[in-house]
Amino acid sequence: MSQHAMWMSFRSLTADASVKDQRLKAGTVKRIASYAAPYRTALIFFLLTVVVDAVLVITSPLLLKRLIDDGVIPGNPGLVTQLALLVGLIAILDAIFSMIGRWFSARIGENLIFDLRTQVFSHVQRQSIAFFTRTQTGALISRINSDVIGAQQILALALLPVFLFPTKWVGRKLQGLTRESFNLNAEMSATMTERFNVSGALLVSLYGDQSNERNYFSTRARKVANIGVSIALLQRMFFIALTSIASIATAFAYGVGGHLAINKEITLGTLLAITTLLVRLYGPLTALSNVRVDVMTALVSFERVFEVLDLVPMVRDKASAKSVKSGPLSVQFEKVRFAYPKADEISLASLESVAKPELIESGEILKDVSFMAPAGSLTALVGPSGAGKTTISSLLPRLYDVTSGSIKVGGDDIRELKVDSLRNSIGVVTQDAHMFHDSIAANLRYAKADATEVEMEDACRAAQIWEMIQSLPNGLDTVVGERGHRLSGGEKQRLAIARLLLKAPRIVILDEATAHLDSENEALVQEALATALKDRTSIVIAHRLSTVRRADQILVIESGEIKERGRHEELLSLNGLYADLYQRQSFSA
């Protein structure tokens, strides 16, 4: 049985027959073909090696037939020797063409994985925050890993498992390559998990550089692709060594057996050639019944990947989008209304583990919100939980788009501005500052990739955290742990402020930045914030009203509406909602 037939028989044992009757969307196969287009030359050479290999597989038994009929039976030892050597040569050629075909197959398959992974990763990063609030991270990562690899099978169904005990050298090489591949895949999975959860996606949206993100991910994906080629070739080389030895041994046996037949010690004939042909043809004929299952499995994987690629980001640039103007920036909300989008508008049911139709809509969160924050001013948003304060702060950097009305930055509607340019002008510190599992320096440089150590030191000093960093054994190279769990709440907040200062935004949003800090940490963070807010247009959401007494204007939000506005003393004199909230906090303190 040929190695391809043996492999197809093996694959049929693990194929999922449930997909063979799956109905595909119109145009799926044509779209798949477009992914193969860049590799048409490699595909042509791969098909040529398949044809040549098939011819060689048939040629060998035919030569053996002639060896017996024209050499053995008539008693021609010279012809027997020649044909035996020719059979051995064909076996070697078969191994060479099989190796070449495997190289083309691996290149096509691994490059297809590389293309799909990087395309899906980049596309997912462009989704709105609403997408990440509903999507199950594990399901999304499965699309990028499992389904992308499943899709590869449509162009590379010739992968061959090493099902015999490998030699010590092959085993060591495979172990090393596999371990490196697993490590790189783990790094990619960790990157996707951190970037695709809500906190990480929010940080990427506000501070990240999509080009750097894509390059970081594609570098590792490329290494995995190269390792995949090496593993495939090593597996094929080892298998070919085994099968070649068997083929050459068969040729040798026929040569010796031919001489024995000449001496009338054994008898053979065309029957042996026919038997050999039947053995070689039986495997492929048996495997044909499973081809539909294998192909459909790959097609369905492709379709699942296309589901993600076809999900259009809710927030995206217009063709005529422009950059934010230079200089200080004002912020203006004009009759803004907002309701959170429905599930079917932002995500896929297949990416949510407990997806169910939404029977009740969220309703309007903001209702006719209008205010003006002049350049360089401090505007505070206060009010009870669920009033809509954080929603206002999310609309400004276009994490969502308004349902109606408009938001202007520097006099321009933010929907007319490039998203990257807008977000580069805005810095955000939330009550739970997210840190990636990396060094302090790497987390700081996420805001400014080319930041020098002097710039990082200056930012950390201004954020009142440099002394703490100096006390650490590795200083800026200290790894903060996943989500920054090795840092206290106050330290994370001050590090987040240092990151904001490195970004040097013209608009600052603080969302409950001191909400869960003790008095000592709050004092340090407030001192750091004073530097961060200086000469910048600031939107501050505060639970502790004592922290916003110096605001240029205070907006009291309740049920999605601005109920009161003015300075601290003015609002107290109204004896309204603000005065009530302030008195209750003063009493509880």
Side-chain angles (χ1 to χ4, degrees), residues 444 459-460 463 465 493-503:
L444 289 172
C460 290
I465 198 174
Q493 291 301 87
R494 282 178 279 155
L495 190 59
I497 293 169
R499 182 167 58 192
L500 179 142
L501 291 171
L502 272 178
K503 185 176 183 179

Side-chain angles (χ1 to χ4, degrees), residues 71-72 128 138 165 272 312 348:
V72 176
S128 68
F165 292 106
L272 285 179
V312 179
L348 298 169

Side-chain angles (χ1 to χ4, degrees), residues 197-248:
N197 64 56
V198 178
S199 299
L202 180 62
L203 182 57
V204 170
S205 296
L206 297 171
Y207 284 88
D209 183 331
Q210 286 196 3
S211 177
N212 288 341
E213 289 284 325
R214 184 170 55 254
N215 291 338
Y216 176 89
F217 184 84
S218 68
T219 298
R220 282 148 184 78
R222 170 53 62 193
K223 288 181 180 179
V224 171
N226 291 338
I227 290 173
V229 173
S230 299
I231 290 176
L233 289 176
L234 186 61
Q235 289 177 331
R236 178 51 64 98
M237 186 183 299
F238 181 59
F239 187 82
I240 283 175
L242 297 177
T243 55
S244 296
I245 291 172
S247 299
I248 294 172

Side-chain angles (χ1 to χ4, degrees), residues 152-208:
Q152 177 209 27
Q153 294 175 1
I154 197 66
L155 296 177
L157 289 172
L159 287 172
L160 188 66
V162 178
F163 50 83
L164 298 175
F165 292 106
T167 63
K168 196 171 185 178
W169 179 83
V170 173
R172 191 183 307 116
K173 292 287 288 184
L174 280 174
Q175 186 180 30
L177 288 169
T178 303
R179 184 185 297 112
E180 186 177 358
S181 178
F182 281 0
N183 289 340
L184 288 167
N185 273 306
E187 285 185 29
M188 288 193 295
S189 294
T191 298
M192 289 184 285
T193 300
E194 286 194 326
R195 268 60 171 180
F196 294 165
N197 64 56
V198 178
S199 299
L202 180 62
L203 182 57
V204 170
S205 296
L206 297 171
Y207 284 88

